[in-house]
Amino acid sequence: MSDAHSEQTHFGFKTVDKDQKASMVAEVFHSVAAKYDIMNDMMSMGIHRLWKRFTIDSGARAGHKVLDLAGGTGDLTAKFSRLVGPTGQVVLADINQSMLEVGRDKLRNLGVVGNVEFVQANAEELPFADNTFDIITIAFGLRNVTDKDKALASMYRVLKPGGRLLVLEFSKPTQDWLSKVYDLYSFKVLPQMGKLIANDAESYQYLAESIRMHPDQDTLKSMMEAVGFEQTTYHNLTGGIVALHKGFKF
Ligand code: SAM
């Protein structure tokens, strides 16, 4: 007898069939792609730039091969491209064509092209050979993936021995008062902002819900260890609203 529950997952607070989630997530990002960058700046009051800066500062060097997974509009790719230089390479991979197109146009306008490749790919089944990348980043992407364990295992496979994974993601605030303020902001202010700026309250309601459903710091750390990552650590940013997880493949 099959277990019906094993075929279900979360889309924000909704329970949906596993095979429905990817297309529902795709709809969200097709819908927000054009306004994605301005919404990020408005919603986080620019702080997402500091979280990304902190991620970038975690070890890329000239000549490195970097995978910016779920790279969307390419904020991390642009920075990595400069750091790895002409002898390195950055692959911006994302499942969503609309996000990739916005990313490609933006990077072209910024003059970032030479060492960047764009690939449409699902994090769960990365189309790269084993042991390819020195660094993999996934920023604000993992919580949208249907099978996170499968995606983490796929990242582990394509990372070189000695390479590192950096997961930048919303997480769990460490203080009760901050959780309360943050809840109010997420569920009252964000959807209204989404409505006003992007004419899309629903996508920003999903954003708030998907953040609450995402594994907390220690759970994600254990998930990384379960697929083989070693020396796993995390660093809370902005009181744990966001955390940067790090893990190595040896
Ligand atoms: N990394 C970028 C940033 O920090 O601004 C974009 C983050 S955006 C919130 C999430 C991205 O994850 C979207 O571009 C979406 O298309 C992508 N995504 C969702 N599910 C994915 C999957 N299964 N595989 C690859 N990318 C995925």
Side-chain angles (χ1 to χ4, degrees):
M1 210 170 91
S2 72
D3 176 7
H5 294 291
S6 66
E7 300 305 322
Q8 302 218 295
T9 189
H10 294 286
F11 174 78
F13 291 163
K14 295 191 189 81
T15 301
V16 299
D17 289 345
K18 264 190 168 178
D19 55 12
Q20 285 182 301
K21 175 159 169 166
S23 58
M24 295 172 86
V25 169
E27 237 170 76
V28 168
F29 288 102
H30 284 309
S31 164
V32 304
K35 292 277 166 75
Y36 178 80
D37 284 340
I38 185 167
M39 278 300 290
N40 265 358
D41 275 331
M42 301 281 294
M43 288 183 309
S44 74
M45 294 166 264
I47 297 172
H48 75 105
R49 292 166 185 263
L50 301 180
W51 299 330
K52 287 173 177 164
R53 182 78 263 166
F54 187 78
T55 306
I56 297 292
D57 287 342
S58 297
R61 288 202 312 270
H64 269 165
K65 193 158 179 180
V66 176
L67 172 62
D68 180 14
L69 183 55
T73 59
D75 281 351
L76 290 184
T77 293
K79 293 185 170 68
F80 276 129
S81 165
R82 291 188 188 104
L83 279 175
V84 302
T87 56
Q89 197 199 6
V90 186
V91 177
L92 191 168
D94 199 287
I95 200 170
N96 192 292
Q97 189 59 33
S98 305
M99 292 294 279
L100 278 172
E101 276 165 19
V102 175
R104 198 191 304 258
D105 289 349
K106 179 167 105 183
L107 296 189
R108 202 177 286 142
N109 288 337
L110 290 171
V112 179
V113 273
N115 58 1
V116 176
E117 196 186 322
F118 297 85
V119 175
Q120 188 169 12
N122 185 345
E124 293 172 15
E125 290 160 7
L126 291 171
F128 309 109
D130 296 359
N131 310 327
T132 300
F133 297 99
D134 298 287
I135 297 182
I136 300 177
T137 51
I138 178 162
F140 306 110
L142 190 61
R143 69 173 192 286
N144 299 295
V145 174
T146 306
D147 191 335
K148 296 173 185 53
D149 297 319
K150 194 172 171 193
L152 288 169
S154 185
M155 293 175 220
Y156 186 83
R157 181 183 65 73
V158 302
L159 202 57
K160 284 181 190 168
R164 73 190 60 187
L165 168 66
L166 303 169
V167 183
L168 182 66
E169 189 52 272
F170 291 105
S171 207
K172 196 167 183 298
T174 50
Q175 304 284 328
D176 275 351
W177 70 264
L178 183 58
S179 285
K180 290 197 181 96
V181 175
Y182 183 47
D183 269 354
L184 209 67
Y185 181 73
S186 306
F187 291 104
K188 299 286 178 225
V189 181
L190 279 191
Q192 285 306 318
M193 249 190 208
K195 193 172 169 189
L196 279 172
I197 299 165
N199 193 23
D200 184 357
E202 254 179 54
S203 294
Y204 289 91
Q205 178 73 25
Y206 162 73
L207 168 72
E209 293 181 5
S210 67
I211 290 170
R212 296 312 181 279
M213 298 308 288
H214 190 65
D216 66 14
Q217 286 86 335
D218 287 317
T219 309
L220 178 54
K221 184 172 181 289
S222 304
M223 288 164 69
M224 289 169 66
E225 287 162 2
V227 301
F229 285 101
E230 294 180 49
Q231 291 185 12
T232 53
T233 52
Y234 62 80
H235 187 102
N236 285 325
L237 298 161
T238 318
I241 286 178
V242 163
L244 178 66
H245 281 70
K246 196 186 292 189
F248 290 83
K249 172 175 174 178
F250 290 116

